[in-house]
Each structure stands twice: as structure tokens, then as C-alpha cells.
Amino acid sequence: NSLIGGIHLGWDYQFATNWIMGINTSFDFNEFSSSSRLAREPNNNEPFNIIYRTTAKSQYTFAAVPRIGYVHKDSMFYVGVG
């Protein structure tokens, strides 16, 4: 079983005719786990069924990046920090 997802949001504000400032945020998560059952013949008093299970921890990441940019006609040039 596994789960992967994320949310990405951004906001921009234009001021002084051609200048823009804003922030981009990102929240991502993932979780992976698996299990399987192995069966074998009894040998030296070992149990008949052996269960093998592996689980990975959930991981979460968050980032917020401020940015400033300049608008020229239909193009935007910007720099982000973070």
C-alpha cells in the first residue's frame, strides 16, 4: 500500500506598475508499506507459516519561498529565495 500527495499554493502582488512580490508554498507527503506471507514446510520445529512485513515511515515536507519579480510585456522575471 502507498499514498503520495501534495498541495501547492502561491500568491503574488503587483505594485509600482511592473514589480511583483509573492510567496510559493508546497506541502508534500508520502507513505509506503508492504507485507507478504510466506509458507514453507515445517523443519526442525520451525512454524509452518512465516509472516514477513515491512513498513516505511511517513514523510512530510513543507517549503515556503518568497520571491520578487519584474514584469515586461507578457513575461515575468523573478528570483526566489529559500
Side-chain angles (χ1 to χ4, degrees), residues 14 17-18 20 70-78:
Q14 186 171 355
T17 309
N18 290 24
I20 291 181
Y70 183 79
V71 176
H72 179 70
K73 296 184 180 179
D74 292 334
S75 300
M76 183 176 95
F77 306 95
Y78 68 91

Side-chain angles (χ1 to χ4, degrees), residues 1-66:
N1 297 332
S2 60
L3 176 66
I4 299 174
I7 298 171
H8 304 274
L9 300 171
W11 171 82
D12 290 317
Y13 174 73
Q14 186 171 355
F15 64 98
T17 309
N18 290 24
W19 288 93
I20 291 181
M21 68 178 186
I23 190 165
N24 284 342
T25 59
S26 174
F27 176 73
D28 300 302
F29 57 91
N30 62 59
E31 180 179 347
F32 298 98
S33 65
S34 66
S35 63
S36 59
R37 185 175 178 153
L38 306 174
R40 63 181 182 162
E41 296 295 325
N43 186 6
N44 296 332
N45 295 327
E46 291 180 332
F48 181 77
N49 291 324
I50 295 176
I51 297 173
Y52 175 78
R53 178 171 287 169
T54 302
T55 302
K57 291 183 179 180
S58 299
Q59 294 183 348
Y60 301 94
T61 57
F62 176 78
V65 179

